[in-house]
Amino acid sequence: MKTRRDFLRISTVGVGATALGLNAFGKGKFKWFDPEADEPVSDEDLTPYATYCEVCFWKCAGWAYVDKAGRIRKVVGNSDDPHSNGRLCPRGTGGVGMYYDEDRLKTPLIRETKSDGSQYFRKASWDEALDLVAKKMKEVKENYGPEAFGLFNHGNPGAHLEHLLRAYGSESNAEPAFANCRGPRSSAYFSTFGAYIGSPENTDIRDTECLVLIGSHIGENMHNSQVQEMSAAIDNGATIITVDPRFSTAAGHSTHWLPIKPSTDIALLLAWIHVLIYEELYNKKFVDKYTFGFDQLKEHVKNMTPEWAYGITDIEPAMIRETARAMAGAAPAVVVHPGRHTVWYGDDTQRERAMAILTALLGAWGKRGSLYLPEAVSVPKFPQPGYPEPEWTWKDLNEGKFPLATMGITTELLKASIPRLGYKHQVKAWLVGGTNLPLAMPDKKLFKEAADSVEFIAVMDTMPMEVTGYADVVLPEATYLERYDFIRAAQNRVPNIALRMPAAKPKYESKPGWWIAKQIGERLGLHDFYNYDDFSEVIDWQLKQLGTSLEEMKKIGVKSFPRKSGPLYLGENEDFTFNTNTGKVELYSVDFSDHGFDPIPVYKKHPEPPQNFYRLIYGRAPMHTFSRTSNNHNLWDLMSENSVWVNPKVADLWGLKRGQKVWLKNQDDAVTSFPVAVRVTERIRWDSVYMVHGFGHSDKKLSRAFGRGASDEEMITNVMVDPVMGGTGMRGNFITFLKEKPASVEKEDKA
Ligand code: SF4
């Protein structure tokens, strides 16, 4: 039976190749950058345009070089930029492939239904598409109130839509970057230190003497300046301690690799804390002056010895002691990296709390080589009226759960979209910007049911991602190289800003996100919130308040400002009040206790893989960012598909050979749509398998990425929800191998 909203593969429905702008560059014919621009050109014949990269969210500033014919020839780093230090990573260098990608969304599309009930996309004019979105927004507002229009957002595109929704009267928004990624560390570090970690992380890696990575994959997670700093730390002889069930790139550069049994990290952290306290290796000065709850912590970890942890973690007691002593020897110049993708087992805020407590015991906060005190430029708000006050917001969608959530929770927004779940506040329509939800979210069934339940979905994106297949209206956005965006004002050692401006005209009929949001806003009568003709006016006004101008920023790209908040590090014995309930670093969390959570982290056992199943661990590759880059021809050239890492013992048991294609099946009988090649390697524990995330695309319009590798998301059906802040723990899924194509996949192929 057909669902109300068929998933539409853009390439195959409704319109022909011409209407969608498909061109002649098929698989194997693409070239680096502009296929028409092969002749060499010197830098003197190129004009640089200031930009900051959008291939990932590190936002490195650089220059896009354009030739006399208006073709972008290269993108390089801006040497004044602390995110890139003048060097882009391989993905950033290849980012221009996003601009030249022949599979891009080229025109607005509107979903239509034929008399036989089948659905298709038809090419639409911008007026038709924008009118339809505005009409639906008006209808939802009249029928249910503006709050019933939800937004899934990420990055700059999402921020333009967020401004639109707030002006319209809704604050029902969520971004996967919170509950599906960084949320646990936000809530944990805020409860402990009264400060968020932020992005880029305020880790003083370049000057550290000891870097502790717990499931943090620097080098595979290619965050530019962080990788550069880790490389400097290694050159400087820093001790690197990597805790990972997999021999990752970082583990390969480490002094100590601790191949921990998955899901037992809290036990290791508590044992380290035990050693620091009971061997009196902790930083007494820091603990006495700045912390709250030391006595309770000491009592709590009394019996959590390395021997206790050994039986849980598989890490030998001598190694636990040796690494704890190495940290203490380097303190306070220690970075216990807080991680980034932190949603693993549903008790992730507690694991992050344990990491924050370890940091505090080492006095590794506000000191050279530890976590420095970051500062960001406060960009003045362009003069506009205040947003209307919604009657309810994303907080109400949590229905009293997750008291320490600081942002909307994506799964709750999905659940509130499904009437049968009976949420008090219901979401009836969605805007989606900058996030490919089906591949960003665990629990595909939930997403599908929610998408089928809502009355309307509009998606703004540059590429025909899986999420566009669920849209009623598709709004093709210009790439980052073709548009103005918000001023980048992220925290760093020195406050700084960066400009993104268009280096080229938007290709095809795509439009900048700010333009799309403004057009919809004006159709809704929200003129006061769009009191400019071009977004460059907003930027210029803001820059002038900061003592610079658009004209100057076009020439320099990045500008730094003096710090206003004081030095980068705490002074010796300096008085400091932390933004917590007690004004101290809370080893014992008053917030957690008040909300009924363990005030000091407790290790709890998690389920283990059933017989013949293996725990699925996923991660990233240095040349790709999630699913968003797998069709970029420059990056596809470097890595076109993922593989599944299998320990040789397991491969022997199953008779699996290197390169053999297998389908994966999980504990809930979910099967991957595509097979994946086996990589037999000692670099993974026998009880786990590993895959790079972001492959196994099912949209045929992605001519290179379609069907390449397998999607780890399809195997994530068991989600362990963090009661503290709603994080979606995804590492409680177990897979087994299928050597033959399963009947269910055969059936779907035919359909
Ligand atoms: Fe771009 Fe690489 Fe920087 Fe990410 S780390 S913003 S991909 S250059």
Side-chain angles (χ1 to χ4, degrees), residues 53 55-56 58-60 88-89 91-92 222-224:
C53 180
V55 182
C56 86
W58 205 248
K59 299 181 180 167
C60 298
L88 299 186
C89 81
R91 294 171 301 163
M222 201 68 177
H223 288 144
N224 197 347

Side-chain angles (χ1 to χ4, degrees), residues 472-520:
D472 295 294
V473 177
V474 178
L475 306 165
E477 199 200 9
T479 66
Y480 72 99
L481 292 163
E482 302 162 308
R483 62 183 201 232
Y484 281 108
D485 258 319
F486 296 100
I487 297 166
R488 187 201 77 188
Q491 64 171 24
N492 218 297
R493 292 180 175 95
V494 175
N496 66 85
I497 53 171
L499 173 70
R500 178 184 285 162
M501 65 181 295
K505 285 203 180 102
K507 266 186 178 281
Y508 316 111
E509 292 179 33
S510 67
K511 297 282 188 187
W514 67 262
W515 182 91
I516 296 170
K518 177 171 157 51
Q519 292 294 316
I520 299 169

Side-chain angles (χ1 to χ4, degrees), residues 573-588:
N573 265 333
E574 182 180 333
D575 289 333
F576 192 90
T577 305
F578 291 82
N579 184 26
T580 56
N581 292 300
T582 55
K584 302 267 189 183
V585 179
E586 295 196 358
L587 307 176
Y588 177 102

Side-chain angles (χ1 to χ4, degrees), residues 586-598:
E586 295 196 358
L587 307 176
Y588 177 102
S589 170
V590 174
D591 250 358
F592 276 51
S593 170
D594 286 351
H595 288 101
F597 302 122
D598 294 323

Side-chain angles (χ1 to χ4, degrees), residues 640-718:
S640 59
E641 61 185 80
N642 58 357
S643 58
V644 58
W645 293 27
V646 179
N647 183 280
K649 279 187 207 144
V650 177
D652 269 357
L653 194 72
W654 284 81
L656 297 174
K657 301 273 172 283
R658 183 167 182 259
Q660 182 178 346
K661 295 270 183 161
V662 291
W663 282 260
L664 304 179
K665 183 172 93 163
N666 81 354
Q667 73 286 340
D668 296 325
D669 288 335
V671 178
T672 52
S673 301
F674 304 103
V676 60
V678 170
R679 176 179 174 183
V680 181
T681 173
E682 294 277 4
R683 292 174 60 181
I684 185 80
R685 282 175 57 105
W686 66 268
D687 53 5
S688 305
V689 296
Y690 170 76
M691 289 164 75
V692 170
H693 169 71
F695 289 86
H697 277 282
S698 56
D699 195 322
K700 285 185 178 154
K701 180 63 172 69
L702 299 171
S703 59
R704 282 174 290 279
F706 172 76
R708 289 295 194 132
S711 163
D712 55 315
E713 286 296 332
E714 290 185 317
M715 296 291 92
I716 299 174
T717 52
N718 177 37

Side-chain angles (χ1 to χ4, degrees), residues 605-622:
K605 191 170 162 36
H606 289 288
E608 303 209 4
Q611 200 176 4
N612 295 329
F613 280 75
Y614 306 89
R615 187 182 298 273
L616 174 64
I617 299 172
Y618 51 84
R620 294 170 73 170

Side-chain angles (χ1 to χ4, degrees), residues 85-239:
N85 299 312
R87 283 177 282 167
L88 299 186
C89 81
R91 294 171 301 163
T93 306
V96 72
M98 284 165 86
Y99 169 69
Y100 285 115
D101 197 320
E102 69 280 8
D103 290 342
R104 278 175 61 169
L105 291 167
K106 298 180 175 71
T107 70
L109 301 170
I110 291 179
R111 176 185 295 265
E112 298 286 3
T113 305
K114 290 182 187 167
S115 52
D116 65 0
S118 63
Q119 299 180 344
Y120 64 100
F121 277 132
R122 75 170 168 85
K123 178 187 170 188
S125 69
W126 270 107
D127 274 340
E128 279 180 291
L130 296 164
D131 286 348
L132 181 54
V133 177
K135 178 172 165 269
K136 291 291 176 186
M137 289 180 77
K138 281 181 194 161
E139 280 173 16
V140 167
K141 192 172 196 168
E142 270 168 34
N143 296 338
Y144 313 104
E147 300 85 357
F149 217 106
L151 167 67
F152 295 96
N153 58 318
H154 197 190
N156 269 300
H160 289 297
L161 295 181
E162 190 176 348
H163 173 64
L164 171 68
L165 262 271
R166 293 293 304 276
Y168 161 81
S170 170
E171 213 183 318
S172 307
N173 61 307
E175 55 180 285
F178 180 69
N180 307 123
C181 195
R182 295 184 337 219
R185 88 169 189 198
S186 297
S187 300
Y189 278 76
F190 192 78
S191 297
T192 311
F193 288 102
Y196 297 110
I197 289 295
S199 177
E201 287 88 14
N202 54 321
T203 46
D204 207 8
I205 295 174
R206 72 178 183 199
D207 286 323
T208 199
E209 289 175 29
C210 179
L211 172 62
V212 184
L213 301 173
I214 301 169
S216 208
H217 308 139
I218 301 179
E220 291 162 357
N221 186 359
M222 201 68 177
H223 288 144
N224 197 347
S225 48
Q226 192 165 245
V227 178
Q228 294 178 29
E229 291 201 16
M230 180 168 162
S231 170
I234 292 168
D235 288 349
N236 293 338
T239 300

